[in-house]
Every structure is written in structure tokens, then in C-alpha cells.
Amino acid sequence: MIRLGFTESEKDSEITRYCKENQIRKVFILSHGTSQLPCSFAGHEHIEYSQVIQYKYYYRLLQEIDDSSLIVVNECLRTQNRNDLTYNCIRNYLNQTRHRIVFQYLPIIDTLDDFMILFDLDTRSRWKRDKWRESMRGEIDIVSKRIDVRLDRIYVETDNQTRVAYQREKKRIISGIGLRDPHTIPRNLHLISGKAKLRVVESSRQYVGRNNRFKIPSMHTFKDDSFPDICTIFEYCHNFISFEDFLAKSGQSNIPVLVTDLKVDEWYHERYVALSKRIRDAYTAIHG
Amino acid sequence: MLTQRYTGKTVLVAARERMSFLFDEFEHIIVSISGGKDSTALAHLALVEANRRRRKIGLYFLDEEVTYQSSADQVERLMSMFPENITKIWLQIEFNLTNSTSLSEGQLICWESGKHKLWMRPKKEWTIHHAPWDTETQTVRNKSKGFGFYDAIENFERCYHGAAFLVGLRAAGESPNRWRAVTKNPVNVNGKTVYWGTKKGDNFALYPLYDWNFHDVWRYIHDEGIPYSKIYDMQFKKGYPITEMRVSSLIHERAFKSIVDLPEFEPKTYNRLQKRIQGIALAQESGKSGKLFACRKLPKNFTSWITYRDFLLDTHLDHERKHIFVNRFARQLNNEYVARQQCRQLILNDYENNLSVDSSPDPRDELIRYYDEVL
């Protein structure tokens, strides 16, 4: 079964309930991240996402997992490649038992196709290669706590000097791009908008940014393990997965965002507004 | 291009009908096998029909020597499946194979005479040890490359007249190019148009499984309980994607990655292979890394793929074949995207142009232009 948007305590009670109902003897929790999912069921083992593919776990787990085991796949949607080695290994573990719970905070990384990775895990890859269609709804037991992501823009005006510097930097980056990844262009330009936002930073607010290069005491980074209740996005990260990790860890869904009038900031903001719409559309597609 | 439409019958029923048609129309039927899943399913389908009609068909295997032991075992299993209906045609003859793992030994002469102590496995007593055609008049596609795998196939096929060579080539679920290649030249078989074959001289190459997908093949193998190469099980357990599950030659430019897991899958085969030909240890260590064979990462001491390509050309060890690359590259675009693919051809010694180069504008340029406009 698939459970979307559950908190850690909700996950724990779901595992406990399932174990009681199905006489489970051992729980294997495959999780991404350093912090382990709290589990009150006594016989459980944590396997970190990066360990899933390692021989020392792979062959042992294939032997140990049987039909009295429950496999919990916790927040393992880490790549959009449906044939990724880690997913294949997880599916091989899942072939050993009927009991599985797939927890994920959001249903997608970027597109609805990502949901099919969760679907594959829950259905023994019956429709591997296929895209989502309505008729598949009946094949899965899915419960979603919808996360409605809303991004509230806080407008930050830049001065003429910053805009000139921005154009100069843009020319410099593009002319010197060489063999480097073209995605470094928006990433590097984004740094300039960061400087422009400094003057509106309030000491009473908590912020999240790509890094803490400005040494702001209330600044968190997207890679932190925990966040305060309300965080303002100082600047977006380039990678959707980091942003979605932040949503899952902070539990925030209405998020204020500092956005300057520089084109790169507008571009990032539109990109994430479009993502939040795709997330809403994904819930509609999955549940109707 | 021939469009694909669903009909009311399964691909298995359609393949059995095709098989029945072939047995009606052809006196000589030869099934090409490799030990892989597709040819296993095809051979079984043909043998069942041959057994029903009490006829004999040829099972033809051109042994490349440097294959998995499991593939050779699988061929032997297939050849012993319906003994009364099979003519065994297992060729263990000398021909050249490209060795993509080494430039200093760019070619392997399979079953080279005088090197029998180094062969991957001894020749079997009952296999064909000498070319069954007139070697004086045999044809060679490209003399600078020597007598190769496809030359051996062509010359063998010319030993027959009006025969049907069945090949387990599948077009469904593969690239549109494959589909087009299979269906673009329909052949006329005694007044009937057949879209799943091509005419080859006096003979026909026919693909009865052309509309099968990979899961149709596995379903058939499972339902019929046919033994198959155990390498597939090991590759599945290791999480190989479907497209990379191959059991063919271990050293050509598309298969060298198999060497990475060979010590684990078949340690004895790996030991023999190391003694047989150069470059194996290097391929085993770096076959799946992006830095060497795959050419995904530019070596540190080069500033561009173009300079790296020029360096590889200048220092190319195989002087006889260097001009093949020079002439080919002169006809292609000169940008970073194309140069990277050319580097891969040079590193893998792909003078046969099997890893075709997409000579088109660099897609990075388009992305940079996009960022220039929107940012």
C-alpha cells in the first residue's frame, strides 16, 4: 500500500497497526537520509538508501526477508529513472514478501511519471514501462494527505547598479561556459540576486537558502535535517528533490519567498509555481 | 513506414501461423541461434512445428569463441532438444572479431589455428571446424577489415538456395529505426507478401518474432518450461536494465560492459578470457566508468572533446585503420557533441562504425541560447 504525506508519528502508527493485523515478525525499513524513521515495533532494522544496492545487504536480505516480513519503503523516490539500480534491488526485496508499505511525502519529483515508480514498488512492477491511467486506480491501496504547496511572493526591488552587474555577469558566464554544464548559468546568476535580498532580511524571521554564504544567523540550508515551523525561502535551490525534502522535513505548505525583479529570480519562481501546480494535478490524476 | 495495429490474436498465435506458413513454403529451414532468449524462443517454436510435421530443420550457431560459457551450454541444450528433427550446424571456424577493449590487439581471430591451448574452450568433436564453402572464392565485405563475422554469415548463407533463414530479431518495443529496417522491404514468398523478412541473394532472412516484445519472449519461455541461459538470472538479480541484458560476444563495442561483472558471473570464463586477449583487465575495471570507454567525462589534460579527438587520432596505434576514421570524421560536423562520440569510436576501435555518430548541432548550444534569452 502507498501512503502519501504522512508524518513520522503517523507512519509509526501505520506500521504498528499493520504488524498487528498481519502477524509480522520483522520489519525492514528502507529509508533515505541520516535520520532514522522512529519505529515502535521491536523487531525492526533500518537500511539506508545507499546501502540498498550493497552486496553485504543485498544477498543477506534476499535470504532473510520472507512472507512474515514487512518492508517499509520510506521516502525513497530519489531519482526519476524508473530502471535505477536501487529501485530494481528494492523490487527484488519486495518479491520476497506480500507485505509492503510505501511512504512518500509528495507523489512526484517533477512529473506524473515519477508516481509510477511508487506504483511499481507496490504492484510488483506489473505495469513496468506503462504510464499512469485511471484504470490502474483499483490496483493499489493508496491514502493521500494532500499537500497543497502555495508560494507567496515577497517582492524585492533591485537598484540600477545590481541590474547592470547582473547583465555583466550574465555575459561573462555565458561567454566562459566552455564545457561546463549549462545549468550553471542560472545557478551562478542566482548568487547576484542573493546580495540584493540582504537588505530586506529581518532578524526575527527564519530563512532557508542554498547555503549560508552571508553568515546570517537565522539562515538554514535545504540540506538541513530539521527546520523551524515557518521558514521564508531566501532563494530557491536548483534541484526539485532538495526543495521537496525541505517540504517534507518542515511540514510547511504555505511558504513566503523573496523574489527580486531580476530575470533569474522570476524564472526560478515561475519554475516552482509550475511545480506546485503539477503536484496538485498529480493528486487529481491519482484520486480523480 | 508500416503502421502497427492491434489485431484480435496474440503474438504467439500469429508466430505459430507464420511458422506453419514457412514450413508450407520452404523445403530448407535454418534457425540462427546465439544462446540468447529470443533465439531460444524462436528455435523452440520452429522445433515444435518440425516435430509435428516430422521434418528436419537446421540449427545454426556461428561460435564467436569469446562468449559466456552459459551461452555455449544453452546452444548445446537447444541442439539436443528434438534430436530427430535437428541438423546441427555449429560452426567453429576462423574469422575476425573486433576487440573493443584494446588498441594494441584490436582484433581477435576466433579459433585461430595454432592457438588451441589459448582457446576459451576446446572445439567439440561434432562441430564444423572448417569453412563449409570454397575459401578460394569466399567474399569479404571490406578487405582492410579482413574476414569478419558478417562475412562468415554471408558465405555460409550462400551455401544454400531458396532456403529460409529464421532470425530471432524483434522490432516491437525496440527503436522505430529497428521497426523500419525490418518492415521497409517486404518480400514475395511464392506470391504472398511477407512484411517480416528480407531477400538475401537466393535465400530469405525471416523474422517470425518481429512483433514480439521482450515480455512475450519471457512469457513463452516460462509457459513452455524452456531452459535458458542462467546469465539472465544473474543480470536480473544485479538489477540490469532490460536493454543491457545481453549474452552475445563479450568484447565487441556494445558488449564490453559485460566484462565488468564477468568475474562474478563466470570466474572461469573470465580467467580464460584474460589469457586469450589483451585489454580484459582494463575493461573489467573501467568498463562501466564514464571516464574511459563511455567517454562521458573529458580527461583532465584536455580542454575540449575536439582536442581530445585530435590527440587520439594523432596517436592511434592501428595505422592500417586510422584512415577509416579520418575519412569518416571528415564527413561529419565538427562540434563538441560530435567530437565526443568520435572519441568513443576511437577508444573502442569501432572502425566498422557500429556505434553510429549523430552528426548534428550540439544540444548544449540550444540550452545555452535558451538561458541567454530567458535570464
Side-chain angles (χ1 to χ4, degrees):
Chain A
M1 55 199 199
I2 301 174
R3 297 290 178 261
L4 300 176
F6 276 40
T7 61
E8 288 193 340
S9 58
E10 287 168 337
K11 287 176 187 175
D12 184 24
S13 48
E14 188 73 12
I15 294 168
T16 312
R17 183 191 61 76
Y18 189 93
C19 291
K20 268 185 196 159
E21 285 175 7
N22 294 280
Q23 288 84 46
I24 297 297
R25 287 198 304 202
K26 181 145 190 193
V27 178
F28 295 90
I29 303 171
L30 317 179
S31 261
H32 180 269
T34 45
S35 58
Q36 295 184 340
L37 176 69
C39 180
S40 24
F41 184 80
H44 71 269
E45 178 181 347
H46 287 279
I47 295 113
E48 214 276 314
Y49 182 80
S50 61
Q51 294 169 333
V52 164
I53 59 169
Q54 292 175 10
Y55 288 154
K56 61 179 178 180
Y57 289 91
Y58 184 77
Y59 291 113
R60 177 174 71 78
L61 291 182
L62 283 186
Q63 286 178 345
E64 284 182 14
I65 298 170
D66 59 19
D67 214 28
S68 64
S69 315
L70 166 68
I71 299 181
V72 175
V73 184
N74 181 40
E75 307 295 332
C76 284
L77 193 57
R78 305 304 302 175
T79 162
Q80 293 183 271
N81 175 9
R82 206 166 159 185
N83 289 314
D84 184 67
L85 179 60
T86 310
Y87 296 150
N88 284 341
C89 290
I90 294 176
R91 279 195 290 265
N92 287 346
Y93 297 145
L94 293 170
N95 279 339
Q96 311 287 315
T97 174
R98 289 175 292 129
H99 307 292
R100 78 269 317 267
I101 307 177
V102 180
F103 289 120
Q104 189 66 37
Y105 193 68
L106 294 170
I108 60 169
I109 297 173
D110 187 1
T111 68
L112 186 59
D113 289 342
D114 306 332
F115 176 71
M116 289 309 289
I117 294 165
L118 304 177
F119 186 85
D120 284 343
L121 295 173
D122 196 47
T123 57
R124 299 188 179 210
S125 311
R126 188 162 169 231
W127 298 107
K128 188 122 186 256
R129 279 193 171 197
D130 285 47
K131 284 178 177 288
W132 170 259
R133 49 181 188 270
E134 282 183 23
S135 59
M136 290 173 171
R137 253 179 228 149
E139 295 193 24
I140 44 170
D141 166 12
I142 179 165
V143 175
S144 300
K145 301 206 166 166
R146 294 192 187 211
I147 312 297
D148 189 8
V149 182
R150 300 281 169 186
L151 301 164
D152 303 325
R153 177 178 178 158
I154 300 170
Y155 186 76
V156 179
E157 198 175 6
T158 56
D159 55 21
N160 194 39
Q161 201 182 352
T162 308
R163 286 194 288 274
V164 171
Y166 175 84
Q167 287 303 331
R168 197 171 49 235
E169 183 66 1
K170 182 178 145 187
K171 267 186 196 160
R172 191 190 68 78
I173 294 170
I174 290 177
S175 60
I177 188 75
L179 285 177
R180 281 184 300 149
D181 180 3
H183 295 299
T184 54
I185 299 170
R187 281 185 181 137
N188 288 355
L189 280 174
H190 209 192
L191 298 175
I192 294 184
S193 76
K195 281 183 196 162
K197 288 169 193 169
L198 279 178
R199 62 187 173 79
V200 296
V201 167
E202 298 167 23
S203 55
S204 58
R205 279 190 166 198
Q206 299 288 322
Y207 293 93
V208 58
R210 286 164 57 179
N211 50 42
N212 195 3
R213 61 191 181 281
F214 299 117
K215 313 279 184 230
I216 301 168
S218 56
M219 178 70 81
H220 302 264
T221 71
F222 285 100
K223 287 189 177 154
D224 285 1
D225 285 332
S226 60
F227 297 92
D229 289 342
I230 298 172
C231 253
T232 301
I233 294 184
F234 179 78
E235 62 197 349
Y236 287 109
C237 48
H238 192 78
N239 191 337
F240 284 151
I241 292 183
S242 304
F243 177 73
E244 284 154 358
D245 282 346
F246 159 72
L247 294 180
K249 287 173 195 165
S250 68
Q252 241 183 300
S253 55
N254 288 325
I255 312 161
V257 191
L258 297 180
V259 184
T260 66
D261 53 6
L262 295 176
K263 271 184 169 183
V264 67
D265 248 12
E266 302 270 5
W267 181 78
Y268 268 111
H269 186 62
E270 281 170 19
R271 194 165 163 255
Y272 276 92
V273 168
L275 172 69
S276 49
K277 183 179 179 302
R278 284 199 297 279
I279 293 170
R280 283 192 291 276
D281 292 346
Y283 286 120
T284 312
I286 294 164
H287 292 283
Chain B
M1 190 160 72
L2 194 66
T3 54
Q4 300 180 38
R5 279 202 200 99
Y6 284 105
T7 62
K9 57 178 93 147
T10 65
V11 288
L12 177 58
V13 170
R16 283 185 175 142
E17 285 174 6
R18 277 175 217 133
M19 207 54 85
S20 179
F21 166 76
L22 293 173
F23 275 79
D24 289 341
E25 302 295 333
F26 289 96
E27 193 182 336
H28 293 298
I29 293 176
I30 296 124
V31 184
S32 303
I33 56 173
S34 64
K37 63 182 188 309
D38 299 337
S39 65
T40 295
L42 178 68
H44 189 267
L45 268 171
L47 284 168
V48 168
E49 186 67 18
N51 188 260
R52 196 173 67 79
R53 296 180 184 232
R54 298 188 180 179
R55 279 188 45 187
K56 260 195 160 183
I57 59 169
L59 283 196
Y60 163 50
F61 176 51
L62 179 57
D63 194 338
E64 292 171 283
E65 192 194 331
V66 281
T67 59
Y68 289 107
Q69 181 60 42
S70 308
S71 299
D73 295 343
Q74 173 64 7
V75 170
E76 204 164 354
R77 271 197 293 270
L78 287 173
M79 287 191 172
S80 58
M81 218 176 246
F82 292 84
E84 67 281 12
N85 303 106
I86 290 176
T87 306
K88 297 175 184 177
I89 313 168
W90 185 325
L91 264 65
Q92 291 184 313
I93 59 169
E94 273 189 36
F95 62 91
N96 298 344
L97 261 187
T98 306
N99 176 17
S100 60
T101 64
S102 167
L103 286 178
S104 55
E105 194 178 358
Q107 276 205 325
L108 168 78
I109 303 174
C110 305
W111 308 110
E112 189 176 358
S113 54
K115 287 198 174 175
H116 60 279
K117 285 185 182 168
L118 287 175
W119 289 344
M120 294 291 290
R121 54 203 135 80
K123 285 186 181 178
K124 294 184 183 298
E125 281 179 12
W126 51 269
T127 54
I128 299 167
H129 295 186
H130 301 284
W133 56 84
D134 182 4
T135 47
E136 294 294 314
T137 58
Q138 74 183 10
T139 53
V140 180
R141 284 180 175 191
N142 187 333
K143 285 192 176 135
S144 67
K145 294 175 190 169
F147 187 77
F149 179 76
Y150 292 105
D151 298 316
I153 290 177
E154 277 179 11
N155 282 285
F156 172 73
E157 286 175 349
R158 268 198 290 275
C159 299
Y160 293 84
H161 300 282
F165 283 90
L166 310 193
V167 183
L169 186 76
R170 291 184 299 102
E174 304 284 324
S175 68
N177 264 351
R178 169 76 73 86
W179 182 265
R180 192 170 51 83
V182 169
T183 57
K184 72 177 174 184
N185 293 320
V187 287
N188 187 312
V189 179
N190 299 336
K192 286 166 194 154
T193 307
V194 171
Y195 285 95
W196 33 277
T198 47
K199 188 99 170 70
K200 290 182 105 183
D202 286 346
N203 303 306
F204 294 87
L206 296 152
Y207 319 116
L209 305 186
Y210 85 117
D211 55 354
W212 285 40
N213 220 316
F214 73 95
H215 41 68
D216 298 320
V217 175
W218 283 120
R219 170 80 188 267
Y220 181 74
I221 288 174
H222 174 267
D223 288 354
E224 297 293 326
I226 310 167
Y228 58 91
S229 171
K230 291 300 152 202
I231 290 296
Y232 286 117
D233 284 342
M234 297 185 205
Q235 291 177 336
F236 177 75
K237 278 183 185 169
K238 249 201 128 172
Y240 273 49
I242 293 143
T243 47
E244 285 184 24
M245 286 190 178
R246 325 172 47 98
V247 295
S248 63
S249 159
L250 291 164
I251 58 167
H252 72 64
E253 58 286 327
R254 284 187 196 276
F256 65 89
K257 283 187 211 161
S258 314
I259 296 173
V260 175
D261 293 319
L262 188 59
E264 197 179 345
F265 293 171
E266 286 191 358
K268 284 182 185 166
T269 307
Y270 179 67
N271 277 346
R272 298 289 306 172
L273 191 60
Q274 269 193 313
K275 288 172 190 158
R276 181 73 179 94
I277 194 159
Q278 289 183 19
I280 300 302
L282 178 69
Q284 199 277 322
E285 274 182 20
S286 55
K288 284 188 182 169
S289 123
K291 286 177 191 158
L292 190 60
F293 291 110
C295 282
R296 279 199 297 269
K297 209 169 177 187
L298 187 67
K300 272 184 186 168
N301 42 341
F302 294 94
T303 52
S304 71
W305 289 105
I306 291 174
T307 51
Y308 184 38
R309 177 204 60 199
D310 293 343
F311 168 80
L312 289 173
L313 262 183
D314 288 344
T315 56
H316 201 267
L317 290 170
D318 195 341
H319 298 293
E320 287 176 20
R321 296 195 177 84
K322 184 175 167 179
H323 71 278
I324 298 175
F325 291 110
V326 174
N327 294 342
R328 187 187 300 156
F329 295 168
R331 295 190 299 270
Q332 295 169 343
L333 289 180
N334 189 31
N335 62 39
E336 287 295 300
Y337 173 66
V338 174
R340 190 192 73 80
Q341 300 171 72
Q342 292 168 339
C343 289
R344 193 170 54 140
Q345 281 202 335
L346 286 162
I347 293 271
L348 290 170
N349 194 22
D350 181 25
Y351 56 88
E352 291 173 304
N353 204 16
N354 288 328
L355 301 167
S356 57
V357 170
D358 175 22
S359 180
S360 55
D362 192 342
R364 283 179 75 258
D365 292 342
E366 200 177 319
L367 189 56
I368 292 167
R369 235 186 338 267
Y370 164 75
Y371 280 138
D372 196 11
E373 280 168 21
V374 299
L375 299 181

